[in-house]
Each structure stands twice: as structure tokens, then as C-alpha cells.
């Protein structure tokens, strides 16, 4: 079954479908987070409450993923015991990919416009491809792959220009922290690929989400974060569980894709996240976007992804 799983997740059509599904789920998190803040009465300036909210989300996601891994591997106890748990790898991945990434992301977004934040967060895909070519000899940075990254980044810029001008100056707490968050995404992908060599990807994903969630909850609690559970009601709880589910599903599938494929070929799909986020925000939140920008950006991102995957 393990070989069958590997072969399935290496088929090009399956890889593309799974990667697009992951980015679609992550893109849906943009309007969900905004809606969740309203449900739980979390103000834009209250970083502690935002950390707590994110931590609870990832705690639930970790529990869901761990439960799924036990169900998935219930007939392979010997294999699961042999692979074991890399505690150091789990803690490192949880710290970088879940904790640090979201701490820098939330603080950075509070000090930049939404347009600049989305554009700078989109650089994570470019950084992931560059990181992969540096650490893995089989992932060379040819002209096609470089041009593909350029097109993907151009698509991210265009889709966000439809929301307004970029403007503003560079600041450490704003643009600086957004860049650090993007670096954390790239490092997280690298750590995930390495640690998953000796662990089941679903098990790794579950425990790292749990570890990162605990770190975020502690940080949010110690900084005075609060969530208004009474105001949230059933609708708020349902939204929170959906966000936990999307994190569990997307991170679990993404970890498996990274394990069995070249890092650059998978992480370049991150360019789709802000595009999906913009489209879904317009649909769910009824935000006013210029459809022309979306129409122009999506082909650029798709061609960029194609070129990066075409180089092998």
C-alpha cells in the first residue's frame, strides 16, 4: 500500500489536482479568517486574540489529522512503530511552519495594506523554488523555471492591484515581517520534506500542527488574547471546525506531495493561494474586485506553474 500511495502521488494529473485542491482550501481561509474575527469579536489590533484564534484552529487541525493517521494506518501497526516519531523534527517543523510563519504573518499584515501583504506573501512560492534548487541537485534553476516563477509572481501582483494601489514605505514590522513569514514557508517546506523521509506524512503533519497550535495558544494567552465564545454561537463554532478541517486536509495532503515529489514542482502552486483567496473573498464577503485583474492573473500563474514543472 505504501508503494501504491507513492506511485499515485507521483502521477502528474493526481499531483496537479491535489496541489490545486490544497491551494483552493488555503485560499478559502482568507475570507474565513475575516469572518471568524467578526464571529469571535476579535479586533484587528488585538494580536493576542488573533494568535489564540489561530492556535485553537491548528490544535483542532492537529487532532483531526492525528486521528485520521491512526485510522489510515490502523492495519499497519508494525510499520508505524518502525517509522516512529521524530520529536525534534516535529517540534522544529511546528515551530517554523506553524508558529513562526503565522506570528510574523499576523503582525506583518497589521502594518501593511492588504494588497502589499498578499503580494509579499506570494513571494513564498518563489523562495521555495530557489531553496529547492540550492538544497537538491535534481532541481536545477533553469531559464524556464526562473521565468515561470516570474510569471507566477506577476500574476500575484496583478490580482492584488485590482484591490487598490500598493503605495507606502518599507518597514520592519510590516514588509519585513511579511518577508520573514515567506521565508518560514520555504524553510517549512524544506524541513517537511526532510523529516517525512523517516515518518508517515500524515502523522508528521498532525503532530506538527498540534505542536505549533500549542505554541500559538500559549503565546496568545500570555499576551492577553481572548475569544468571545458566547457571541460566536453555533455558526462561529462551525466555521472554526471548517478552518481546522481545511488546515488538516491541506497540510496533510501537501506534506505527502512534498515527500514523493520535487519540492519546487509542488511549492510553485503557492502562487494560486492569493488568486483563489481574492476570488473566494469576492464571492463570500461580496468584496468589490476588478474581474479583469483576476482574468489576467490566473493564466499567468497557471503558465508559470506549467513552466516550473516542465523543466524536468
Amino acid at each position: 500500500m505504501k508503494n501504491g500511495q507513492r506511485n499515485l502521488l507521483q502521477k502528474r494529473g493526481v499531483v496537479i489536482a491535489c496541489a490545486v485542491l490544497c491551494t483552493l482550501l488555503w485560499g478559502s481561509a482568507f475570507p474565513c479568517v475575516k469572518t471568524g474575527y467578526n464571529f469571535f469579536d476579535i479586533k484587528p489590533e488585538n494580536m493576542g486574540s488573533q494568535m489564540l484564534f489561530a492556535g485553537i484552529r491548528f490544535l483542532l487541525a492537529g487532532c483531526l489529522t492525528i486521528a485520521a493517521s491512526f485510522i489510515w494506518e490502523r492495519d499497519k501497526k508494525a510499520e508505524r512503530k518502525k517509522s516512529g516519531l521524530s520529536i525534534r523534527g516535529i517540534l522544529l517543523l511546528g515551530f517554523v511552519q506553524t508558529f513562526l510563519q503565522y506570528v510574523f504573518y499576523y503582525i506583518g499584515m497589521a502594518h501593511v495594506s492588504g494588497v502589499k501583504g498578499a503580494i509579499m506573501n506570494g513571494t513564498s512560492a518563489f523562495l521555495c523554488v530557489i531553496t529547492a534548487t540550492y538544497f537538491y541537485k535534481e532541481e536545477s534553476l533553469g531559464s524556464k523555471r526562473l521565468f515561470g516563477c516570474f510569471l507566477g509572481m506577476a500574476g500575484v501582483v496583478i490580482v492584488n492591484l485590482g484591490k487598490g494601489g500598493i503605495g507606502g514605505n518599507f518597514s520592519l514590522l510590516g514588509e519585513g515581517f511579511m518577508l520573514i513569514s515567506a521565508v518560514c514557508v520555504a524553510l517549512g517546506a524544506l524541513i517537511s520534506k526532510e523529516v517525512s523521509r523517516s515518518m508517515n506524512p500524515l502523522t508528521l503533519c498532525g503532530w506538527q500542527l498540534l505542536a505549533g497550535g500549542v505554541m500559538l495558544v500559549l503565546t496568545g494567552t500570555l499576551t492577553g488574547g481572548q475569544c468571545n465564545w458566547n457571541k460566536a454561537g453555533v455558526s462561529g463554532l462551525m466555521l472554526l471546525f471548517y478552518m481546522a478541517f481545511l488546515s488538516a486536509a491541506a497540510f496533510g495532503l501537501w506534506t505527502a506531495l512534498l515527500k514523493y515529489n520535487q519540492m519546487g514542482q509542488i511549492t510553485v502552486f503557492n502562487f494560486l493561494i492569493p488568486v483563489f483567496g481574492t476570488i473566494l473573498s469576492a464571492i463570500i464577503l461580496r468584496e468589490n474586485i476588478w474581474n479583469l485583474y483576476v482574468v489576467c492573473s490566473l493564466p499567468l500563474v497557471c503558465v508559470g506553474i506549467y513552466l516550473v514543472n516542465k523543466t524536468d
Side-chain angles (χ1 to χ4, degrees), residues 224-235:
Q226 292 182 338
C227 292
N228 191 334
W229 298 96
N230 292 327
K231 181 181 177 181
V234 176
S235 298

Side-chain angles (χ1 to χ4, degrees), residues 24-286:
L24 178 62
L25 288 171
W26 280 323
S28 73
F30 284 89
C32 285
V33 168
K34 289 186 178 181
T35 305
Y37 287 167
N38 291 328
F39 275 134
F40 289 89
D41 195 25
I42 298 174
K43 306 302 180 184
E45 66 276 5
N46 194 334
M47 295 296 169
S49 295
Q50 292 169 9
M51 296 298 110
L52 179 61
F53 182 67
I56 295 172
R57 167 192 169 187
F58 290 121
L59 269 175
L60 290 173
C63 292
L64 288 174
T65 311
I66 292 170
S69 70
F70 274 100
I71 295 173
W72 185 266
E73 301 289 326
R74 64 183 182 275
D75 297 328
K76 295 178 280 186
K77 294 181 179 179
E79 182 179 308
R80 188 170 66 242
K81 184 177 180 180
K82 182 179 179 181
S83 63
L85 292 176
S86 174
I87 304 300
R88 181 183 298 178
I90 289 171
L91 292 176
L92 180 60
L93 184 59
F95 179 70
V96 173
Q97 183 170 272
T98 302
F99 177 72
L100 280 184
Q101 177 192 340
Y102 282 93
V103 167
F104 283 114
Y105 176 81
Y106 281 120
I107 295 176
M109 282 299 293
H111 292 84
V112 297
S113 66
V115 177
K116 290 184 73 174
I119 291 173
M120 302 199 75
N121 191 53
T123 61
S124 62
F126 178 76
L127 292 175
C128 284
V129 174
I130 299 298
T131 302
T133 59
Y134 181 79
F135 283 95
Y136 301 106
K137 293 180 180 180
E138 67 273 16
E139 301 198 36
S140 59
L141 186 63
S143 57
K144 287 184 179 179
R145 176 166 284 195
L146 189 60
F147 186 58
C149 288
F150 171 78
L151 289 180
M153 195 64 217
V156 172
V157 172
I158 288 174
V159 75
N160 283 279
L161 286 179
K163 304 175 187 176
I166 296 178
N169 298 317
F170 184 92
S171 69
L172 176 61
L173 289 178
E175 292 83 355
F177 275 26
M178 289 302 297
L179 284 176
I180 296 175
S181 175
V183 171
C184 289
V185 173
L187 291 178
L190 179 64
I191 296 168
S192 177
K193 186 170 182 63
E194 290 301 310
V195 179
S196 65
R197 294 180 186 275
S198 59
M199 280 188 65
N200 176 277
L202 201 58
T203 304
L204 169 62
C205 176
W207 285 108
Q208 76 87 8
L209 283 172
L210 190 66
V214 169
M215 297 175 195
L216 284 169
V217 167
L218 289 175
T219 302
T221 302
L222 292 174
T223 53
Q226 292 182 338
C227 292
N228 191 334
W229 298 96
N230 292 327
K231 181 181 177 181
V234 176
S235 298
L237 291 176
M238 290 178 64
L239 178 66
L240 181 60
F241 276 104
Y242 168 72
M243 294 176 66
F245 166 77
L246 78 85
S247 295
F251 275 109
L253 190 54
W254 195 258
T255 303
L257 290 173
L258 284 174
K259 179 181 176 72
Y260 299 124
N261 297 274
Q262 289 188 13
M263 177 176 157
Q265 290 179 329
I266 302 303
T267 54
V268 71
F269 282 89
N270 278 326
F271 282 128
L272 284 171
I273 297 176
V275 177
F276 283 140
T278 298
I279 296 173
L280 292 172
S281 292
I283 295 173
I284 297 173
L285 301 177
R286 298 181 181 179

Side-chain angles (χ1 to χ4, degrees), residues 279-298:
I279 296 173
L280 292 172
S281 292
I283 295 173
I284 297 173
L285 301 177
R286 298 181 181 179
E287 293 183 349
N288 183 26
I289 63 169
W290 293 11
N291 292 328
L292 179 62
Y293 285 96
V294 177
V295 171
C296 292
S297 67
L298 192 55

